[in-house]
Amino acid sequence: MSVALIWVVSPTSELCNRLGFLETTKLAALSKSRSFLRDSKIKNLDKKHKCESCYMNADFKGFWGLSHGKKQDLVSKVVANPSGELAVSSEQLIYDVVLKQAALVKEQMRNKEDIEVKPDIVLPGSLGLLSEAYERCGEVCAEYAKTFYLGTLLMTPERRKAIWAIYVWCRRTDELVDGPNASHITPKALDRWESRLEDLFNGRPFDMLDAALSDTVSKFPVDIQPFKDMIEGMRMDLRKSRYQTFDELYLYCYYVAGTVGLMSVPIMGIAPESQAPTESVYNAALALGIANQLTNILRDVGEDARRGRVYLPQDELAQAGLSDEDIFAGKVTDKWRNFMKKQIKRARSFFDEAQQGVTQLSSASRWPVWSSLLLYRQILDEIEANDYNNFTKRAYVSKPKKLVSLPVAYAKSLVPPSRSGALSKAMDL
């Protein structure tokens, strides 16, 4: 189950033209400019692309989930599979990625000259195209994620544009398997999309929207691996419609939602006064992504069932005396209510963990994240208010409730990072 994003089809299609795609030839000057910029400014490009582990909704739902970040929990997740070989849990695989992303940021933070956002070095005639690319990303964000867009206006111009570029790429990626043309998408199409991703990371954007992201990754310590992982989540949607355990579902949630946290933290920035370990801030960002995706799943049970998909752990359904047939029947029973209560409790625990890290972000970046967290968490309340009928009733937060939540989120965003070191202690438990 992915999220509703914008269409992505052939760049020659009418829709792509509506979204403001450029012909490949129009991007020649801009592409050369980006390549020149990367060659002259990014000294650690090779290091940045050596992440070897393979491991984001309409309101940028997956904006920010490794939940159980305690070290001993991760070690305990190395188990034996039926063949007798050691198998590593989804949490450990994802934690490896977290450590690499955090190390990338810390490496550049040690040299302030590398992490500062530097002015563009552009070839004549390309600056206008790049500005147009970012403007188009902002328009898409404003159209499809109004609340989040408002929050980004508090960010510095460079960070704001970068977040817009990441948002648009994630929407386009998701729409490959969850949009109107999803039935025509094949694994080869996703392979081509990944090849385009690699090109834009190397300063060779294919179209206008790619150009904005290509510029972004040349300025901030953003690694390619989370982007590749999100594409892997799309591949899972093509080949898989059931998840036997929560460990399997957790990995899927990371792929399609938790990855956005890894993409976003380098852009949003960590508050200078924060004393929390960098990896703990990433963990909190990932937790919000997991929480949001679990909320998506619980909200969309009926919709997914009509597509023949069940994004609920099969073993937990069986333990509750339920099966796929009960979901397809769409009847709310006491068994279903009890099952849903446990699922909602788990989702809320991820939201609780995410809250610990939001205050560690730079002050200008906190409001959109707090808004996402508070508004999305309320969907769980609405599921309960609907008597757990997520078969025929779609839980949503009303506009009046949203208006009440935004000033609350803003007030929370003003709270500076705690100097108690709570996150640091949590990592050492």
Side-chain angles (χ1 to χ4, degrees):
M1 179 196 69
S2 302
V3 291
L5 308 178
I6 60 178
W7 289 5
V8 180
V9 287
S10 168
T12 61
S13 73
E14 178 182 352
L15 178 64
C16 289
N17 291 332
R18 180 173 69 83
L19 288 175
F21 285 111
L22 294 178
E23 297 290 343
T24 305
T25 54
K26 289 180 66 178
L27 276 168
L30 182 57
S31 180
K32 290 178 182 177
S33 172
R34 301 280 12 111
S35 297
F36 175 74
L37 172 65
R38 295 182 64 82
D39 292 343
S40 61
K41 286 178 23 181
I42 306 302
K43 301 177 181 178
N44 297 323
L45 179 62
D46 292 336
K47 293 181 181 179
K48 195 164 79 169
H49 285 227
K50 288 183 179 178
C51 182
E52 297 172 354
S53 297
C54 255
Y55 301 85
M56 140 173 305
N57 304 47
D59 241 14
F60 213 12
K61 306 169 207 173
F63 190 76
W64 268 44
L66 182 63
S67 71
H68 310 297
K70 298 180 179 63
K71 296 175 182 175
Q72 74 272 27
D73 289 343
L74 294 166
V75 173
S76 70
K77 294 297 184 178
V78 181
V79 296
N81 62 24
S83 64
E85 299 176 347
L86 288 180
V88 181
S89 75
S90 296
E91 288 184 62
Q92 181 62 62
L93 293 175
I94 296 168
Y95 190 60
D96 291 342
V97 181
V98 170
L99 292 178
K100 290 184 178 182
Q101 310 313 301
L104 176 65
V105 172
K106 285 191 286 189
E107 178 183 350
Q108 295 207 4
M109 286 181 70
R110 279 194 290 268
N111 185 346
K112 278 196 169 184
E113 185 179 338
D114 282 343
I115 200 169
E116 288 175 354
V117 177
K118 301 171 183 171
D120 282 325
I121 301 175
V122 295
L123 297 180
S126 64
L127 183 57
L129 292 177
L130 187 57
S131 297
E132 186 181 347
Y134 276 119
E135 287 176 8
R136 184 60 189 134
C137 288
E139 291 170 359
V140 173
C141 187
E143 180 177 355
Y144 292 93
K146 296 178 178 63
T147 301
F148 177 76
Y149 173 80
L150 290 175
T152 64
L153 298 181
L154 293 179
M155 297 179 178
T156 63
E158 290 295 336
R159 294 185 189 278
R160 180 193 315 148
K161 292 189 299 183
I163 285 296
W164 291 346
I166 289 178
Y167 171 80
V168 168
W169 186 88
C170 291
R171 288 192 65 89
R172 298 171 78 192
T173 301
D174 182 86
E175 197 67 1
L176 286 170
V177 299
D178 203 40
N181 297 293
S183 60
H184 304 294
I185 296 299
T186 64
K188 287 186 177 180
L190 292 176
D191 290 342
R192 289 194 294 271
W193 186 248
E194 185 168 346
S195 178
R196 266 180 66 165
L197 172 70
E198 292 171 350
D199 284 344
L200 74 84
F201 260 80
N202 287 315
R204 299 190 299 273
F206 182 79
D207 58 39
M208 173 183 279
L209 303 181
D210 280 356
L213 183 58
S214 183
D215 182 64
T216 289
V217 302
S218 75
K219 294 178 177 179
F220 293 90
V222 179
D223 186 62
I224 196 173
Q225 192 60 47
F227 294 83
K228 287 189 171 185
D229 287 347
M230 180 177 244
I231 296 174
E232 184 60 31
M234 304 305 111
R235 292 191 179 100
M236 288 182 73
D237 263 330
L238 291 183
R239 67 175 183 260
K240 193 167 185 174
S241 61
R242 299 292 187 280
Y243 295 85
Q244 294 302 314
T245 66
F246 180 71
D247 188 65
E248 289 185 13
L249 183 63
Y250 179 87
L251 183 60
Y252 171 75
C253 290
Y254 161 72
Y255 279 144
V256 301
T259 47
V260 191
L262 298 184
M263 300 174 193
S264 307
V265 171
I267 308 299
M268 294 192 156
I270 299 174
E273 63 271 28
S274 172
Q275 296 183 356
T278 304
E279 55 268 27
S280 70
V281 180
Y282 273 93
N283 284 345
L286 287 165
L288 182 53
I290 298 295
N292 286 344
Q293 191 62 22
L294 289 176
T295 301
N296 289 343
I297 289 169
L298 300 180
R299 180 197 62 196
D300 297 338
V301 168
E303 178 183 330
D304 291 329
R306 288 187 285 276
R307 299 166 56 201
R309 294 181 171 275
V310 178
Y311 290 92
L312 298 167
Q314 293 289 309
D315 60 345
E316 295 180 16
L317 281 170
Q319 292 169 12
L322 298 165
S323 66
D324 289 354
E325 285 67 30
D326 294 297
I327 294 175
F328 295 142
K331 186 177 181 180
V332 178
T333 62
D334 287 338
K335 286 183 179 180
W336 179 252
R337 291 185 183 93
N338 291 331
F339 173 78
M340 283 301 301
K341 288 177 182 177
K342 294 179 180 179
Q343 301 300 311
I344 289 175
K345 181 179 180 181
R346 176 159 57 200
R348 282 181 174 142
S349 71
F350 281 92
F351 279 120
D352 290 341
E353 183 168 353
Q355 290 184 182
Q356 301 177 40
V358 182
T359 56
Q360 307 301 320
L361 295 174
S362 64
S363 57
S365 301
R366 292 175 204 145
W367 189 29
V369 181
W370 270 117
S371 298
S372 171
L373 191 156
L374 296 180
L375 291 174
Y376 232 71
R377 183 169 187 153
Q378 289 182 66
I379 293 176
L380 300 174
D381 301 335
E382 298 302 322
I383 295 174
E384 293 173 332
N386 289 339
D387 193 29
Y388 306 99
N389 181 4
N390 42 10
F391 300 117
T392 60
K393 292 183 179 180
R394 183 178 176 86
Y396 68 94
V397 181
S398 66
K399 189 168 291 186
K401 289 183 179 179
K402 286 183 179 181
L403 292 176
V404 170
S405 297
L406 291 179
V408 174
Y410 182 71
K412 287 181 175 291
S413 73
L414 300 177
V415 178
S418 171
R419 293 189 175 275
S420 64
L423 271 178
S424 179
K425 293 177 182 178
M427 290 293 295
D428 293 329
L429 289 178

